[in-house]
Amino acid sequence: MLVYGLKSCDTCRKALKSLPEASFVDVRDKGVPAEVVSRAIADFGHELVNKRSTTWRNLSEEERASDVVALIASHPTVMKRPLIVNGDQMHLGWSDEVRAALGVG
């Protein structure tokens, strides 16, 4: 299991604490592989972009209109987090539904 997020994100830290077997990928340091982003877009669409983030608010209109894969490649902190990859399943965020799907409380 891989958890993509930010080491400074409280929600990501909560997820990691509940998922001790998971490996963590800090998107600020390592980015997110394009194939993972593409798969996440197929699953979550534009929900993958956190439009409430400071990063999003600081983007130009031209950057906001760019391809989502390219946007996340150049600004990985604009991605909603955590993005959890568990085999062939993906989960976005740390909602009650995600926790239930992963079997954690």
Side-chain angles (χ1 to χ4, degrees):
M1 182 181 306
L2 289 173
V3 176
Y4 292 92
L6 294 173
K7 60 186 167 193
S8 60
C9 172
D10 289 339
T11 304
C12 293
R13 286 195 292 248
K14 288 176 191 173
L16 285 171
K17 187 175 181 180
S18 297
L19 302 168
E21 74 284 358
S23 296
F24 182 69
V25 179
D26 190 317
V27 300
R28 186 172 282 143
D29 295 338
K30 305 271 187 198
V32 184
E35 63 273 6
V36 173
V37 175
S38 295
R39 206 171 125 211
I41 291 167
D43 286 359
F44 307 111
H46 285 280
E47 286 182 43
L48 188 61
V49 176
N50 182 358
K51 294 185 177 177
R52 296 186 308 170
S53 72
T54 303
T55 303
W56 176 261
R57 291 191 304 262
N58 290 331
L59 295 174
S60 68
E61 287 302 316
E62 182 179 308
E63 288 172 307
R64 289 179 183 185
S66 67
D67 173 68
V68 177
V69 175
L71 177 65
I72 292 174
S74 58
H75 302 282
T77 58
V78 79
M79 183 182 79
K80 185 174 179 183
R81 53 195 180 269
L83 174 64
I84 302 167
V85 180
N86 186 21
D88 62 348
Q89 296 180 343
M90 290 186 126
H91 306 279
L92 187 61
W94 193 239
S95 65
D96 291 340
E97 294 82 17
V98 170
R99 289 192 295 275
L102 293 171
V104 294

